[in-house]
Amino acid sequence: MTDTLNILSEIQLGDIKLKNRALMAPLTRARAVNHVPTDMMAEYYAQRAGAGLIIAEATMVMEGNSAFMNEPGIYSQEQIEGWRKVTDAVHANGGKIVLQLWHGGRACHPDLNDGKTPVAASPLAITNDEVHTPNGKKAYTVPRALETNEIPGIVAGFKQAAINAKEAGFDGVEVHGANGYLLDNFLRDGTNQRDDQYGGSIENRARLLFEVLEAVIDVWGSGKVGLRTSPLNSFNSMIDSDPVALTTWLAEHLNQFDLAFWDLMRTDFLGQQSGDVMTPARKLYKGNLIGNMGYSHEEASASIGENQLDAVAFGVPFIANPDLVERFAANAELNEADPTTFYMGGAEGYTDYPTMN
């Protein structure tokens, strides 16, 4: 594919120029200590600076909204300084990195948040999984529906996180609107039963997401802000009555923001929902479209060469292959990832995967 675009081609995502189109997808790895990024995290991300763009893991925008025990935050000065070590290390290795801004919503648990009841669009608990807590695995609890007058505080939390991410040296941010966390919980009708201006029609259900995008763009400018959505993913007990219609609506209405990119997850982790969301997104969305979930090197390059996508985000392959882009360039064999070490903590399965050399 020397005469067409492929995964190794350069690209401009808004104001962010990338050396290739192989993005590192946001991957929760639970290696922070007291929600503060560590030196080991800086090493991990620096190892993967060959990615065209690293989208760092889901990061708490506000205190008291932990869903994973050891995930990082971006609401304190100590966290900003910890992330600064990460961004400095990535930049020293020639990479670009953006931070994924996240509110866990109903995926949070009282045992992780000093007994605080989690908040959500509606008082519906996650039922298809359990959460790891300091007291072992537990069922998710029924969340409290956010009051309408509390929602501006959520938007303000995202905006302050965006300000803090800039201080920490990131090249931009991605708003996490996927996988059943707070913004997605509002967006999809299976979990949003509200009767105020944030419920009912797609326009109302998207209102919080769009208010957050506006607030974050006010900090960064639209050319350094991306968005991730997952209209088909049933992870965290999520469902929508018409995910294709939802995607079609978003594809049209996201154009007003002139985002750096839209990171769209194409399938369902659990295989319960199906549909083609990529075609309407590509047809109607005028910005850079990033595909994610299960792409091989070959499919990614073909999709880019055929103008179906602008870039592809890889998750598990980047866990096991810090030099993934170099392996793509050499058509080399990939390391296999060990799922038992994804969230266990420590260097094993984190910074010890071998490179080709």
Side-chain angles (χ1 to χ4, degrees), residues 26-221:
L27 298 157
T28 293
R29 302 302 309 277
R31 259 67 173 193
V33 174
N34 296 323
H35 305 302
V36 177
T38 64
D39 291 347
M40 186 170 64
M41 288 172 60
E43 179 185 0
Y44 166 78
Y45 282 115
Q47 288 174 344
R48 288 152 180 82
L53 179 67
I54 295 171
I55 306 172
E57 63 209 271
T59 298
M60 290 189 290
V61 298
M62 301 167 70
E63 188 173 8
N65 291 286
S66 173
F68 290 104
M69 278 201 294
N70 297 314
E71 76 273 53
I74 188 67
Y75 49 81
S76 74
Q77 191 61 40
E78 187 179 10
Q79 291 164 343
I80 293 169
E81 292 168 2
W83 277 121
R84 170 60 81 169
K85 293 181 182 179
V86 173
T87 61
D88 284 349
V90 170
H91 292 151
N93 278 11
K96 300 282 180 70
I97 182 169
V98 300
L99 185 65
Q100 190 183 58
L101 304 179
W102 168 71
H103 190 302
R106 68 177 186 162
C108 302
H109 192 278
D111 284 10
L112 299 175
N113 297 289
D114 297 323
K116 178 182 170 185
T117 300
V119 297
S122 303
L124 302 169
I126 295 170
T127 59
N128 65 353
D129 203 355
E130 292 181 314
V131 59
H132 289 276
T133 78
N135 305 309
K137 291 189 78 172
K138 289 193 173 184
Y140 284 96
T141 57
V142 176
R144 175 179 67 79
L146 276 167
E147 299 292 339
T148 307
N149 62 10
E150 293 179 290
I151 290 178
I154 299 292
V155 176
F158 273 91
K159 185 169 186 175
Q160 185 61 53
I163 293 168
N164 294 349
K166 182 173 278 193
E167 184 181 345
F170 285 94
D171 298 293
V173 294
E174 177 182 88
V175 172
H176 195 341
N179 296 345
Y181 301 112
L182 186 65
L183 300 183
D184 188 36
N185 178 243
F186 271 77
L187 189 59
R188 288 197 261 177
D189 62 14
T191 52
N192 185 337
Q193 299 180 352
R194 302 177 72 91
D195 58 8
D196 62 0
Q197 64 265 42
Y198 293 91
S201 67
I202 296 177
E203 180 179 10
N204 281 355
R205 300 197 315 269
R207 190 181 305 276
L208 175 56
L209 171 62
F210 281 18
E211 288 177 352
V212 166
L213 287 174
E214 289 170 356
V216 172
I217 287 169
D218 189 52
V219 175
W220 278 95

Side-chain angles (χ1 to χ4, degrees), residues 22-28 44-45 51 53-57 100 174 228 263 291-293 312-316 318-319:
L23 281 56
M24 179 175 165
L27 298 157
T28 293
Y44 166 78
Y45 282 115
L53 179 67
I54 295 171
I55 306 172
E57 63 209 271
Q100 190 183 58
E174 177 182 88
R228 179 175 241 217
D263 177 6
N292 181 238
M293 296 182 76
V312 172
F314 298 89
V316 172
F318 261 117
I319 289 178

